[in-house]
Amino acid sequence: MSNKLSLFPPNTTITTEGQLTLNGHAAVELARQFGTPLYVYDVATIRQQIRAYRQGLARYAGSSLLTYASKAFLCTALVRLMTDAGVGLDVASAGEIFIAERGGADPTAMHLHGNNKSALDLREALRAGVGRIVVDNADELASLTKMAAEHGQPVKIWLRITPDVAVETVHEYTVTGTADSKFGFPIEAADSVARELLSQNSTIELTGLHVHLGSHFHDAGPVAQALERLLDLAAGWRHEFGWPFSELCAGGGWGVRYHPDDPPMPVEPFVAGVTAAVERGCRLRNLSLPQLILEPGRSLVGQAGVALYTVGGRKVMPGGRTYVSIDGGLADNPRPALYRANYTAVLANRAGEPETETVAIAGPYCETGDILIQAVDLPAAQPGDILAIPVAGAYQLAMSSNYNAALKPAVVFGEENGVKLIQRRETFEDLIRRDV
Ligand code: LLP
């Protein structure tokens, strides 16, 4: 149990009555007040992760900018939190730009990603004044060049480089930097596109380079290796065209602990690995230090989130397996089905009791794959118990669906002085809102 507790936000405790409390708020009380499934974000944990990144970046000898990969979880309240903390935003669609704007984000601290940005994505980025467009391919560069001319203003871009460097992630679907990835320019293609761009007068201004190797890795070595390749390109263009290499985005992707068996993953080794690689690489190539941008998602918000569910019942199968069924699953968290993500759980109202059985946690949706956890040790769960799953903050709600006409859960922000509803639970009316 104490092992599991270390996965929750650091201010999580268990009372002498065995109640799980999140920053002083009893989980069962939150479940009663807001209903389940409920996603509770601990604001202090998000702030702590921002601080950890900042402290790491402060050791970089050049300037730096921390941005948040908003695809991990986005809503206006989170945009406000990030913006108030001076964190910029990585957005990946016109929809994310819309939410960011509504949340009051500073567009100049935003950059737009996407391997097939639509005309709408690009137009909205130009209209909103998004600071940088991360160009993925030559066709996109051609459309953007046309649009920028019509727009009548210079547009600042980075090129996304695919360095052909692998990272070890939990699932192959979250690797993005290898040669056959659908994302970005291979080195040679980037080189020829940049040479063409730099040898002419264009409304497009190439200010920097971008790389993102994948998501949920925990070895910074490959990032350092990839950065070497980017710095080689930058040095070549500097030498030939006097290119002022002013910005370098090293992506995101640092992992988090989901399960007691996972090793600790503090962000410091990632940030230190990146800053050291950039400093050393620039020194060796006689380049002045670019502004260093990071764009983590999961490691900023993952641990802050706790998902609360109500147990509906239990079923002991002839083969010996016991299912404990809860009121959420695949619809609010498709990660186990998509990536075989490995979670753990506790009974929030009986967290002090011995864990006497190993059970599978099943969701209510019409899919055999709707199993949130294949095997977890718990006290014998009964209908009405509240199940808490830690590390629910990233890519769960962001990838949630209305499968079986499930209503998307309510989301609350927990702080020491209270709990605030930041997204209401969907209603049945929401389910037919788009029907014409
Ligand atoms: N930058 C780019 C260009 C990205 O594509 C991503 C994530 C990030 C940064 C942030 O990566 P992070 O720090 O969150 O690892 N749905 C998957 C993860 C997909 C990641 C997509 N790109 C999951 O649930 O594991």
Side-chain angles (χ1 to χ4, degrees):
M1 179 61 216
S2 64
N3 263 352
K4 290 183 185 174
L5 196 60
S6 68
L7 298 165
F8 284 84
N11 52 33
T12 305
T13 53
I14 295 170
T15 65
T16 43
E17 294 81 39
Q19 294 290 331
L20 186 80
T21 67
L22 306 167
N23 203 358
H25 311 291
V28 279
E29 213 20 66
L30 297 175
R32 196 194 51 76
Q33 189 181 348
F34 297 99
T36 56
L38 177 69
Y39 278 71
V40 184
Y41 278 82
D42 177 53
V43 170
T45 302
I46 301 177
R47 294 220 167 94
Q48 167 200 293
Q49 293 306 94
I50 293 173
R51 248 189 332 270
Y53 269 100
R54 282 265 163 70
Q55 278 164 7
L57 283 171
R59 292 193 199 98
Y60 178 59
S63 68
S64 60
L65 175 67
L66 178 64
T67 64
Y68 165 61
S70 61
K71 64 192 69 121
F73 171 57
L74 186 60
C75 64
T76 49
L78 188 61
V79 172
R80 276 193 294 278
L81 190 161
M82 292 294 177
T83 304
D84 289 349
V87 178
L89 290 183
D90 146 4
V91 287
S93 68
E96 290 187 357
I97 293 173
F98 171 80
I99 299 171
E101 274 192 306
R102 284 296 175 92
D106 170 9
T108 62
M110 277 159 59
H111 56 272
L112 176 69
H113 274 296
N115 67 297
N116 186 24
K117 299 177 191 72
S118 65
L120 179 66
D121 294 332
L122 292 173
R123 237 187 355 256
E124 281 301 289
L126 297 188
R127 181 202 52 75
V130 166
R132 302 288 180 271
I133 313 276
V134 191
V135 173
D136 179 272
N137 58 74
D139 288 330
E140 181 187 317
L141 185 58
S143 340
L144 185 62
T145 307
K146 245 199 242 146
M147 263 187 210
E150 286 159 20
H151 188 65
Q153 270 179 14
V155 173
K156 296 185 174 179
I157 67 159
W158 301 335
L159 294 183
R160 178 168 182 164
I161 311 295
T162 312
D164 192 15
V165 172
V167 277
E168 201 186 316
T169 65
V170 173
H171 197 280
E172 59 178 315
Y173 288 174
T174 54
V175 175
T176 51
T178 47
D180 67 343
S181 160
K182 71 168 184 170
F183 298 104
F185 290 91
I187 299 277
E188 296 72 30
D191 198 26
S192 64
V193 152
R195 281 165 188 282
E196 202 180 318
L197 197 59
L198 295 174
S199 56
Q200 67 192 19
N201 248 341
S202 172
T203 40
I204 301 285
E205 186 188 347
L206 176 62
T207 63
L209 295 177
H210 170 275
V211 67
H212 171 74
L213 291 184
S215 189
H216 198 35
F217 58 81
H218 47 94
D219 172 12
V223 184
Q225 196 189 336
L227 287 170
E228 286 285 303
R229 303 200 174 159
L230 269 63
L231 293 177
D232 276 342
L233 284 174
W237 304 339
R238 166 144 199 97
H239 180 70
E240 204 162 323
F241 303 97
W243 182 54
F245 172 43
S246 47
E247 290 152 359
L248 173 62
C249 180
W254 194 247
V256 297
R257 273 179 89 216
Y258 280 101
H259 193 272
D261 294 345
D262 293 341
M265 293 179 215
V267 301
E268 287 77 6
F270 173 53
V271 186
V274 170
T275 57
V278 178
E279 286 172 358
R280 191 182 52 241
C282 285
R283 197 170 51 242
L284 288 176
R285 294 168 181 82
N286 234 339
L287 288 164
S288 48
L289 289 178
Q291 180 185 45
L292 177 61
I293 298 101
L294 292 179
E295 52 179 19
R298 188 190 315 265
S299 50
L300 284 179
V301 297
Q303 193 193 359
V306 176
L308 300 179
Y309 303 95
T310 302
V311 172
R314 49 188 292 126
K315 210 184 258 184
V316 181
M317 309 313 287
R321 175 134 104 148
T322 300
Y323 284 113
V324 167
S325 298
I326 56 171
D327 57 357
L330 181 73
D332 62 281
N333 182 8
R335 299 193 67 259
L338 275 172
Y339 316 111
R340 295 188 183 276
N342 197 10
Y343 287 89
T344 191
V346 304
L347 287 186
N349 53 322
R350 297 166 56 194
E353 292 183 25
E355 295 172 335
T356 49
E357 60 179 22
T358 303
V359 298
I361 305 295
Y365 306 110
C366 305
E367 292 278 330
T368 301
D370 179 24
I371 305 290
L372 275 189
I373 307 179
Q374 292 292 345
V376 61
D377 293 342
L378 290 179
Q382 300 302 327
D385 282 339
I386 299 296
L387 186 96
I389 295 192
V391 207
Y395 302 110
Q396 295 194 192
L397 292 175
M399 299 180 81
S400 63
S401 76
N402 290 113
Y403 184 53
N404 287 171
L407 303 177
K408 292 196 180 176
V411 185
V412 297
F413 270 5
E415 295 195 67
E416 217 168 65
N417 56 0
V419 173
K420 200 165 63 193
L421 182 70
I422 61 153
Q423 264 184 338
R424 62 164 175 80
R425 184 176 309 285
E426 277 186 331
T427 62
F428 292 141
E429 286 298 321
D430 288 326
L431 296 175
I432 54 166
R433 186 139 289 158
R434 294 178 310 118
D435 295 6
V436 288

